[in-house]
Amino acid sequence: MFGFIRPVKDELRVREVHRFQEVYCGLCHAIRARYGRFHTFFLSYDMTFFALVLGCTETDGAREKRRCDASPIRPRAACFGCAAIDRAADVSVLLNYHKLRDSVRDESGPRRLAAGILLRLAGPGYRRAARRLPEADREIAGCIDELAALEAAGCDSIDRAADPTARLLAAAVPPTGDARERILRQLFYHTGRWVYLIDACQDLAGDLAHGGYNPVALRFGLVRADLSAAREALERTLERSLADICTAFDLLGAQRDAGLIENIIWLGLPTVTRQVLDGTYQMNGGRMRHGSL
């Protein structure tokens, strides 16, 4: 994933800060235990959000202190035994692998070589994840291929271009066949759509400089990294997805972490939207440290 989904720390209670870190660390431990150390390097706050939302209507999981590579001396509290975290670990590996596969197809020169090496290293873990979640793997692979075809065709519709990524994240929801599944798929569909469009806005300068595909540039005829002419239209379409995310979460009836998730949805996502459109966004809040909140 891309790392845009994060809470606004100053508006969190102390226990919510600790809870977010516990889920983040629990997800890292789950990925390492199930797939090895290599895949933990792709851990993101986006997948932490995925685990929090999946688990907000459940009551499983326990808190335990353990050492890790990031904290080898002082044990850190982490969440264990949670089905939502295990699902997020599996999905994270699938997404990382298919993202690398897409990079090998799209990049050239040293970047393509690097992506190819990483893809080979990711292979064993991916095959285990694909055996655990074969249907999700097929859907994710299909969405990635569909997006590649739209990029190759130079699609200038931001809705069509965002749809595969939106469906990709919705495909990661556990298939339960009930109302909860439908609500979660709607929530993550619009989360994926928002992430794709925000990423396109953030990558505008680089894509224009290197001739890369960018649906925002094509849709609004942008020839330089200035979103001012398209800002009003982009705000409307991004706010539409944010509203649908909020509506879906309200329907879930969260039993835990409601305040933390609401902080991310109602404060974190709008803050990132404003910063990206203003040109003031900094990855990981400017901290550039693994796991810093």
Side-chain angles (χ1 to χ4, degrees):
M1 298 292 282
F2 301 86
F4 292 111
I5 303 175
R6 57 184 299 122
V8 176
K9 183 178 179 180
D10 291 344
E11 299 297 330
L12 289 175
R13 297 180 177 89
V14 172
R15 67 174 179 269
E16 291 171 339
V17 174
H18 292 163
R19 171 63 178 169
F20 187 87
Q21 194 66 49
E22 287 168 9
V23 174
Y24 179 89
C25 289
L27 179 55
C28 186
H29 280 288
I31 292 172
R32 179 176 173 180
R34 294 162 84 85
Y35 301 108
R37 205 180 249 106
F38 171 78
H39 287 278
T40 64
F41 291 105
F42 300 93
L43 179 64
S44 73
Y45 285 142
D46 296 357
M47 294 312 297
T48 306
F49 172 74
F50 182 80
L52 282 166
V53 174
L54 278 190
C56 75
T57 58
E58 309 295 336
T59 57
D60 61 341
R63 180 176 175 274
E64 185 178 324
K65 285 192 174 183
R66 290 188 185 178
R67 293 180 176 85
C68 64
D69 293 344
S71 184
I73 298 175
R74 184 178 180 182
R76 286 183 178 179
C79 185
F80 292 93
C82 180
I85 288 179
D86 289 342
R87 177 82 181 192
D90 299 339
V91 171
S92 178
V93 171
L94 293 178
L95 292 175
N96 291 334
Y97 180 85
H98 288 296
K99 181 71 167 60
L100 289 169
R101 182 170 65 88
D102 189 53
S103 295
V104 170
R105 179 167 46 196
D106 291 345
E107 300 291 351
S108 60
R111 288 188 177 184
R112 183 176 185 179
L113 177 61
I117 293 171
L118 292 175
L119 183 68
R120 184 176 292 272
L121 292 173
Y126 159 71
R127 287 187 285 274
R128 289 197 296 273
R131 286 194 294 269
R132 285 187 170 118
L133 303 179
E135 292 185 8
D137 178 53
R138 284 192 294 270
E139 285 194 66
I140 290 169
C143 289
I144 292 288
D145 291 341
E146 185 178 333
L147 178 58
L150 290 171
E151 292 177 351
C155 176
D156 61 0
S157 167
I158 58 175
D159 288 327
R160 286 181 61 202
D163 182 66
T165 300
R167 287 189 286 108
L168 175 155
L169 195 54
V173 172
T176 55
D178 55 10
R180 179 177 177 271
E181 181 191 350
R182 293 193 296 273
I183 294 168
L184 285 170
R185 288 184 74 95
Q186 181 76 356
L187 190 156
F188 287 119
Y189 176 91
H190 285 284
T191 301
R193 181 181 187 274
W194 177 87
V195 166
Y196 180 84
L197 293 178
I198 281 292
D199 184 61
C201 292
Q202 178 65 12
D203 287 348
L204 181 63
D207 289 337
L208 290 174
H210 299 101
Y213 172 78
N214 190 292
V216 172
L218 292 172
R219 166 63 180 82
F220 297 102
L222 303 178
V223 294
R224 57 192 181 92
D226 182 3
L227 289 168
S228 56
R231 175 160 185 156
E232 185 176 348
L234 287 169
E235 283 179 339
R236 282 199 304 270
T237 194
L238 290 166
E239 286 171 0
R240 187 181 72 192
S241 279
L242 292 180
D244 287 335
I245 293 168
C246 292
T247 300
F249 181 69
D250 285 343
L251 292 173
L252 272 180
Q255 297 177 23
R256 66 180 177 190
D257 300 323
L260 173 54
I261 297 169
E262 287 169 356
N263 175 288
I264 296 171
I265 293 173
W266 294 337
L267 297 178
L269 302 188
T271 296
V272 170
T273 300
R274 184 183 66 252
Q275 290 174 343
V276 169
L277 296 182
D278 285 346
T280 59
Y281 175 77
Q282 290 181 296
M283 185 64 71
N284 203 15
R287 295 171 178 81
M288 301 308 293
R289 288 189 289 117
H290 182 68
S292 63
L293 181 62

